[in-house]
Amino acid sequence: MKPPSLLLAAALLLWGWQTGLLAFALLMAVVLEAARWIEWRVDFSNSDFNHVVDLCSLLAALGGFYCVLTRDATNQVMTMFQATNFTSRSSAMNSVSQTTFIFFQWFPMILFPAVAAQFYSTRDAVPRSCFLFFARRRLAREGRPQPDRPAINLTYPYFAVVLFSACLANQRNNWFYFVLCAVISGTLWVNRPRRFSTVIWVATLILVVKAGFYGHRGLSEFQTVLENKVANWVSNWARRSGDRNDATTAIGRIGQLKLSGAIVMHVEPEVGPVPSLLRDTMFNRFDSPRWSNSPRPTEAQILPVGDGTSWPVLLRTATNFVRLSSFATRGQSVLALPPGATLIENLAAGEMFTSQAGTLRVTQAPDFLYLRVQHGRGPTSGAPPHKPASDKTISTDLAIPLREHDAVGKIADELGLAGQSGPVAAQVIDRFFAENFKYGSFLPNSLRQIPQGLTPLGFFLLKNRRGHCEYFATATVMLMRQAGIPARYVYGWSVQEPERGTGRFVVRERHAHAWCVYWNEQTRTWVDLDTTSPDWVANERQNASFWEPLTDRWSRAWFGFSKWRWHGATGEWQNYLLLALVGLIGLLAWRILARQRRRRRKGNGLSEAPPTAWAGLDSEFYRLENRLQKMGLERRPGETCGDWLERIEPLTAAPIPAIRELLPLHYRLRFDPHGLTGPERGALQAGVAKWLETARLEPGQRN
Amino acid sequence: MTESLATAQKTFRTIAANIETVMHGQGAAVRKLLTAFASGGHVLLEDYPGTGKTTLAKTLARSINASFKRVQFTPDLLPSDILGVSIFNQRDQSFEFRSGPIFTNILLADEINRASPRTQSALLEAMGEGQVSVEGDRRDLESLFFVIATQNPVEFRGTYPLPEAQMDRFALQFSLGYVSAAEEVAVLSAQEKSHPLDRAGAVVSKDDVLALKRAVTEVRISDELKRYIVDLVSATRTASGVSLGASPRASLSLMKVAQASALFDGSEFVTPEHVQQMAVPVIAHRMVMDPQARFSGVTARGVVEELVKKLKVPA
């Protein structure tokens, strides 16, 4: 079944228009349509088709690989599975599906070799067995030949794939629908039922096209309405929003806190010790269970120095260096840095902002960050404590929510914190927590019976004395503030797990941590005060998944690969990929054509008959056959001499009947075990010589 | 050409000419039937009703001065109905064997696929070995024993398809097919007053036929062509869409039929044309096709034709 001419070309051009690959589309369309006018054909064997199909599979694999590389698909898939809430999962799903769309858009190119091979082959379909790799292998193992049938004519399936790919790339353009309809109508027009009049056919088509147009419009509007509704419902459940305006803690929540063991960061000390805490964001205002910043911190831009990859965070130098590697989503990231970080190197980002909350945000960064950070003791980033506008109001860095006053005040009195200096108070509070509190991420149901009048924090401080880092951090901040020392709540990461044999540390998702920073008036810095009982690390490790060693291995490989990709191999690796591909295709084409030529030279035949010296192979008759072959009248492999002569007789003016008279002699020489007598052989020789003489006298025999 | 071969060819031609007075426009079919007959094989005619299967068989029987029996196969036909049965003779107080229709020279097994497999296989031994075993006694059949079985490809209700083993016992399977309109008019004219079959008499004797059969074995065939036959038959075993290829018995039949065919043409030796002509009727019916290939329209006949076309033929 041949499609009407220019149909595939139209589909391909539509696809090219939509995907922006018009040059490729034009080239492919020309190659495919030219097959109608060019008579040159290649006799593809099954194994040649196998090679071509394998090439297509390879192209698909490479395309997928390329997609994964450029679109960061693995990360998207990982995000999709690790997402803790609906919003992030659905956004991850969106990006995964977009990547898939892009991959599918390439399908016309990926399948092109197979379709072109079919168009330029002597067959009109590709054997189905070529597409079944394992069946092929099995047949080869069993020594059976690969069946030619059933065969698949790729034309219309390819047409469908091209249209499908064009649809995926649709740039939301009304024209697209009508052009698509026109292309499909072209196909339908050729195959239309003839028993209806053209008018009816056209009217029906217009009706269907109209219905389709309004139908898909309605559908898309319905989708918008539905999406809005769903977004409304979902936003109520969203637990942790992506920005750093606030941090909702699990204070007061009951049950097991589950954090995954996925590795989010590698920390590699270069000079000096490894920083034990990496700050992400500071918060100053607590509304149980939420920490936020008030007033909303303003951002200031940091400009790079040198070659544009070094960013001075603080205007001082430090002596320690550490390398951090982590992933950025779509080029955006909030950097988690050791306190006292002064300079960030090896970061090719577009812009960097620092906020009063000490947050460092980068945009237009590579998807994988591999930073070199200079850090050391001394002033840290983050604005100094908030000074109230008047004496009547209290600084936000000293504010304690009313509900927590009772419990915090009671403990502060017990510890005698009032009037103490920062470091002393810190010591007292640290000892207090170390001696009286235990770490537990599991909050039992008994918490439901929090006594009347007690907040979750109060219950933690006075009765339960067991909780996770958010309790410790919040309580510490409150106690410091009660002592009159400005303090803030910090969200970040704890670095504690050395990776075996590498000298690096890994930071897992469950190492997410919160602690307190207080303002040291003398040094004018924010000092870390982590009061969470040190057994929390071991405690959390118990929750490690059984599969963790396995996922760690994968994660390590992925980190290594990402590092190589973004920061290792400089140069246009994409170009190398393309070059390798072109070379591969060229090699395949050369092999197929070379084998073809060899086969033609050898003369084709199915059986490899042993070169037995059968009788009469020296017959003079073969001279006649050679002569006729040179005239373009060659004998087909399965054709007997008699049939051959009968077939070519109307095709030539050469005296075929004369040959037919010689045939019985030749046959006797060849197939009669008794053979020819001497005179008979002489007659054959003479007859052949005579015929060759006559044929020479009559050149230009072909009609 | 030696005298025996020349006589044999004459016998051949005489029978063919006689049959063709009755069967108009069926030269090719007559030739196939006679080559199978002369090579000692049996024939399965598969065709639509009314194309002259039975007439062909009966004309052959009449043309030779030989005994002819006809068995109409039905579902309730028993093996003893074909082979014969021992009957207790009250007078002699002993069993005596009443031979069945199989003890004849030419047997027409009409609509063979209507009989039960049990009855069909009663024919097996007879066709394969020229002997039957009845109640433990071996009884030889006539030296000239030729089975023409017919079956109707249209009807399936109440039929038992022949098992593969039985198909293999037939040297040839072919169909007559519809003749051209002009030929059909000739058939009508010929039967306007009486059936030409009634006028057809014996033209050769049984001895002539036995001589013919001996002559067939004298037709020479080169090793190269034997190799070609073997290659052709073994190629069916690996062809795509075929789940069971042809057996070595097919090679043997093809050789013998090709010899007979050569004799029919008056040749003392077999040429590649003789092998190719007979390849389809000898090989195709022995093959079992893949159900999948069958549904996609691939036939055994098509596979063999393709192989004949593709396989390099000695020339």
Side-chain angles (χ1 to χ4, degrees):
Chain A
M1 190 168 59
K2 280 250 169 204
S5 41
L6 298 181
L7 181 72
L8 265 183
L12 277 170
L13 290 179
L14 176 67
W15 167 79
W17 172 45
Q18 287 298 317
T19 51
L21 300 166
L22 203 58
F24 285 101
L26 209 63
L27 187 75
M28 282 153 61
V30 167
V31 169
L32 291 187
E33 291 298 332
R36 285 176 198 283
W37 319 112
I38 298 175
E39 294 210 335
W40 173 79
R41 289 289 181 272
V42 183
D43 183 13
F44 280 92
S45 69
N46 282 355
S47 76
D48 292 334
F49 273 125
N50 288 348
H51 288 314
V52 175
V53 170
D54 287 348
L55 174 72
C56 290
S57 315
L58 187 70
L59 282 177
L62 282 176
F65 188 59
Y66 184 86
C67 249
V68 168
L69 283 187
T70 52
R71 302 271 314 171
D72 209 9
T74 329
N75 251 8
Q76 291 164 1
V77 174
M78 296 279 264
T79 320
M80 192 169 84
F81 286 113
Q82 288 173 356
T84 45
N85 62 45
F86 189 82
T87 328
S88 58
R89 176 162 298 165
S90 79
S91 81
M93 264 162 82
N94 262 342
S95 49
V96 168
S97 65
Q98 281 204 342
T99 305
T100 320
F101 277 10
I102 287 189
F103 179 51
F104 276 121
Q105 279 171 30
W106 295 338
F107 257 65
M109 284 201 279
I110 289 170
L111 290 179
F112 177 72
V115 179
Q118 184 200 306
F119 272 49
Y120 284 96
S121 80
T122 45
R123 297 195 237 176
D124 57 355
V126 180
R128 194 188 61 185
S129 51
C130 294
F131 296 94
L132 309 171
F133 182 75
F134 289 105
R136 237 159 64 194
R137 291 277 301 273
R138 203 188 60 222
L139 286 176
R141 233 184 2 253
E142 291 170 4
R144 290 198 289 157
Q146 201 179 328
D148 290 347
R149 267 172 236 246
I152 305 170
N153 183 345
L154 293 179
T155 318
Y156 275 108
Y158 186 65
F159 178 67
V161 166
V162 171
L163 287 188
F164 178 67
S165 300
C167 293
L168 287 182
N170 177 13
Q171 293 158 354
R172 310 252 169 217
N173 183 331
N174 275 347
W175 277 107
F176 173 76
Y177 178 73
F178 292 108
V179 175
L180 182 73
C181 284
V183 173
I184 293 178
S185 306
T187 329
L188 293 176
W189 171 256
V190 178
N191 301 316
R192 71 184 186 278
R194 310 279 165 160
R195 60 180 192 278
F196 299 113
S197 77
T198 316
V199 180
I200 294 181
W201 188 83
V202 171
T204 316
L205 189 74
I206 290 174
L207 212 67
V208 169
V209 168
K210 281 236 158 199
F213 183 70
Y214 291 113
H216 92 260
R217 273 235 165 136
L219 207 65
S220 107
E221 262 164 39
F222 177 68
Q223 188 189 349
T224 317
V225 170
L226 200 71
E227 271 178 5
N228 288 341
K229 280 255 187 278
V230 169
N232 275 340
W233 299 329
V234 166
S235 63
N236 296 333
W237 305 333
R239 188 166 62 89
R240 207 173 270 196
S241 54
D243 56 36
R244 295 300 199 274
N245 289 333
D246 58 14
T248 305
T249 65
I251 289 176
R253 242 169 26 115
I254 291 161
Q256 182 89 30
L257 270 183
K258 277 188 190 143
L259 286 171
S260 85
I263 295 174
V264 293
M265 214 184 298
H266 280 185
V267 180
E268 204 176 337
E270 260 186 18
V271 180
V274 66
S276 61
L277 295 171
L278 299 176
R279 283 188 202 170
D280 185 299
T281 315
M282 296 201 272
F283 299 97
N284 60 11
R285 181 189 164 93
F286 182 60
D287 302 294
S288 185
R290 203 168 67 101
W291 275 98
S292 59
N293 275 310
S294 170
R296 241 184 129 94
T298 51
E299 281 192 332
Q301 194 170 352
I302 295 180
L303 294 174
V305 294
D307 58 353
T309 58
S310 298
W311 308 77
V313 181
L314 290 174
L315 294 172
R316 67 179 179 89
T317 53
T319 49
N320 295 344
F321 283 95
V322 67
R323 276 196 178 270
L324 302 175
S325 29
S326 63
F327 289 100
T329 350
R330 299 188 177 212
Q332 298 242 9
S333 181
V334 170
L335 302 179
L337 297 175
T342 56
L343 180 72
I344 299 170
E345 293 174 315
N346 194 29
L347 172 62
E351 288 174 314
M352 184 185 281
F353 300 95
T354 177
S355 81
Q356 289 170 321
T359 312
L360 274 179
R361 189 167 63 84
V362 290
T363 59
Q364 298 157 43
D367 282 355
F368 182 75
L369 304 175
Y370 185 54
L371 317 172
R372 185 162 184 263
V373 180
Q374 195 186 55
H375 68 105
R377 300 170 69 84
T380 59
S381 59
H386 172 246
K387 290 266 184 300
S390 69
D391 288 345
K392 282 181 194 157
T393 52
I394 189 166
S395 159
T396 46
D397 287 316
L398 288 171
I400 299 170
L402 262 174
R403 296 166 62 210
E404 316 291 357
H405 263 291
D406 286 351
V408 174
K410 198 171 167 195
I411 298 291
D413 290 347
E414 260 178 40
L415 298 178
L417 287 177
Q420 299 280 15
S421 72
V424 177
Q427 236 173 20
V428 172
I429 292 170
D430 199 17
R431 197 179 318 123
F432 166 68
F433 280 115
E435 284 169 2
N436 303 309
F437 287 72
K438 275 200 165 156
Y439 180 82
S441 65
F442 179 76
L443 301 182
N445 281 343
S446 63
L447 269 191
R448 276 191 207 289
Q449 286 102 44
I450 291 182
Q452 279 285 316
L454 268 188
T455 60
L457 190 68
F459 183 66
F460 165 73
L461 275 175
L462 300 176
K463 295 255 187 258
N464 192 26
R465 306 216 150 171
R466 187 184 179 87
H468 48 79
C469 60
E470 287 170 341
Y471 281 103
F472 282 94
T474 309
T476 309
V477 172
M478 292 304 142
L479 287 173
M480 288 302 273
R481 286 180 177 184
Q482 184 73 24
I485 300 156
R488 286 178 182 176
Y489 172 91
V490 182
Y491 162 75
W493 307 92
S494 159
V495 183
Q496 42 175 281
E497 188 182 329
E499 195 177 44
R500 240 192 309 164
T502 57
R504 280 190 308 207
F505 286 75
V506 293
V507 177
R508 299 176 188 279
E509 201 156 84
R510 65 163 180 266
H511 295 159
H513 195 38
W515 62 97
C516 161
V517 286
Y518 67 92
W519 183 252
N520 189 328
E521 196 60 47
Q522 280 134 26
T523 57
R524 297 196 61 76
T525 52
W526 289 104
V527 181
D528 287 323
L529 173 58
D530 184 5
T531 52
T532 307
S533 136
D535 63 341
W536 80 274
V537 179
N539 205 314
E540 282 293 350
R541 194 172 298 144
Q542 286 170 3
N543 297 333
S545 139
F546 172 73
W547 302 107
E548 199 164 286
L550 211 66
T551 52
D552 278 2
R553 198 156 291 185
W554 159 248
S555 173
R556 186 196 290 196
W558 184 242
F559 262 84
F561 171 72
S562 303
K563 198 161 105 185
W564 166 79
R565 192 190 139 209
W566 290 103
H567 302 282
T570 49
E572 299 289 303
W573 58 270
Q574 284 108 327
N575 289 351
Y576 289 124
L577 202 69
L578 208 68
L579 218 65
L581 214 63
V582 169
L584 210 68
I585 295 174
L587 186 71
L588 181 68
W590 176 77
R591 277 196 57 181
I592 289 177
L593 290 177
R595 193 175 321 142
Q596 190 92 25
R597 225 170 297 135
R598 228 172 315 152
R599 202 183 301 148
R600 202 173 296 150
R601 219 175 296 143
K602 232 163 57 180
N604 25 10
L606 279 178
S607 75
E608 286 149 33
T612 321
W614 299 115
L617 284 175
D618 56 345
S619 170
E620 287 73 20
F621 187 82
Y622 293 122
R623 292 174 61 199
L624 297 180
E625 192 181 338
N626 278 341
R627 169 64 66 86
L628 286 165
Q629 192 176 348
K630 276 183 195 142
M631 290 159 63
L633 300 166
E634 59 190 299
R635 194 170 57 80
R636 291 172 188 156
E639 206 169 29
T640 60
C641 289
D643 294 344
W644 172 56
L645 292 176
E646 201 170 317
R647 178 171 64 84
I648 65 173
E649 192 164 2
L651 301 178
T652 174
I656 299 299
I659 304 180
R660 198 168 287 140
E661 281 166 21
L662 294 172
L663 188 59
L665 281 178
H666 167 67
Y667 266 4
R668 272 183 60 194
L669 177 63
R670 289 280 285 118
F671 302 118
D672 187 350
H674 289 182
L676 286 182
T677 58
E680 283 169 334
R681 184 69 192 261
L684 178 63
Q685 283 167 348
V688 168
K690 191 176 154 210
W691 189 89
L692 288 174
E693 195 67 26
T694 357
R696 195 174 301 142
L697 292 176
E698 300 167 28
Q701 295 86 345
R702 218 195 299 204
N703 287 355
Chain B
M1 193 181 240
T2 60
E3 200 181 324
S4 64
L5 286 181
T7 322
Q9 196 210 358
K10 191 161 160 273
T11 312
F12 236 145
R13 293 287 185 178
T14 314
I15 304 172
N18 195 45
I19 294 175
E20 276 177 68
T21 58
V22 179
M23 299 292 296
H24 294 274
Q26 293 284 17
V30 170
R31 181 194 165 112
K32 283 178 200 153
L33 179 78
L34 289 183
T35 48
F37 177 57
S39 69
H42 305 282
V43 162
L44 177 64
L45 285 175
E46 188 176 270
D47 219 327
Y48 303 109
T51 44
K53 298 185 292 281
T54 313
T55 313
L56 179 65
K58 280 165 93 174
T59 320
L60 173 66
R62 289 239 180 136
S63 305
I64 305 158
N65 201 358
S67 60
F68 168 74
K69 296 259 175 64
R70 176 193 164 150
V71 184
Q72 179 67 44
F73 277 53
T74 53
D76 57 353
L77 194 75
L78 294 175
S80 57
D81 294 334
I82 301 175
L83 305 180
V85 66
S86 291
I87 292 172
F88 187 69
N89 191 328
Q90 295 278 2
R91 203 170 25 191
D92 299 353
Q93 293 289 305
S94 67
F95 282 98
E96 81 181 30
F97 182 69
R98 289 279 181 89
S99 55
I102 199 150
F103 293 90
T104 183
N105 295 128
I106 296 173
L107 177 71
L108 173 62
D110 221 358
E111 298 196 83
I112 187 169
N113 55 344
R114 287 202 175 280
S116 64
R118 184 178 165 212
T119 311
Q120 286 173 358
S121 53
L123 261 180
L124 258 176
E125 190 190 354
M127 285 168 60
E129 285 140 49
Q131 65 182 36
V132 291
S133 301
V134 184
E135 289 160 14
D137 296 335
R138 208 189 77 177
R139 289 166 201 275
D140 287 329
L141 297 175
E142 302 269 339
S143 54
L144 177 65
F145 177 63
F146 181 53
V147 176
I148 305 174
T150 73
Q151 69 175 357
N152 180 340
V154 184
E155 288 173 68
F156 296 107
R157 208 169 299 160
T159 63
Y160 303 90
L162 287 175
E164 283 80 29
Q166 187 121 2
M167 290 299 260
D168 205 18
R169 311 257 158 168
F170 289 105
L172 262 86
Q173 187 224 41
F174 59 94
S175 51
L176 298 173
Y178 296 115
V179 291
S180 67
E183 301 281 8
E184 206 166 326
V185 171
V187 171
L188 297 188
S189 309
Q191 301 195 14
E192 206 177 339
K193 299 229 165 60
S194 64
H195 200 289
L197 189 54
D198 302 335
R199 294 192 296 275
V203 284
V204 292
S205 68
K206 204 156 92 181
D207 289 338
D208 291 334
V209 174
L210 290 175
L212 170 64
K213 287 181 78 168
R214 275 195 302 277
V216 167
T217 59
E218 284 168 29
V219 173
R220 298 186 289 272
I221 178 164
S222 71
D223 287 345
E224 192 179 359
L225 283 180
K226 284 179 197 159
R227 176 64 200 248
Y228 176 60
I229 289 172
V230 170
D231 282 348
L232 196 59
V233 169
S234 57
T236 63
R237 294 167 205 159
T238 51
S240 73
V242 177
S243 60
L244 180 67
S247 61
R249 195 193 310 227
S251 310
L252 198 62
S253 290
L254 184 53
M255 184 183 78
K256 286 183 173 174
V257 172
Q259 281 174 309
S261 184
L263 183 63
F264 193 89
D265 288 344
S267 172
E268 289 176 53
F269 60 94
V270 177
T271 68
E273 277 89 348
H274 296 129
V275 178
Q276 286 198 348
Q277 277 166 6
M278 290 301 168
V280 172
V282 172
I283 299 174
H285 67 281
R286 300 166 200 258
M287 290 159 55
V288 179
M289 300 300 292
D290 252 359
Q292 212 171 8
R294 211 165 48 217
F295 284 132
S296 53
V298 183
T299 59
R301 196 189 160 85
V303 169
V304 179
E305 277 170 356
E306 195 65 27
L307 285 175
V308 166
K309 231 185 262 174
K310 276 196 182 156
L311 198 69
K312 194 164 186 269
V313 64

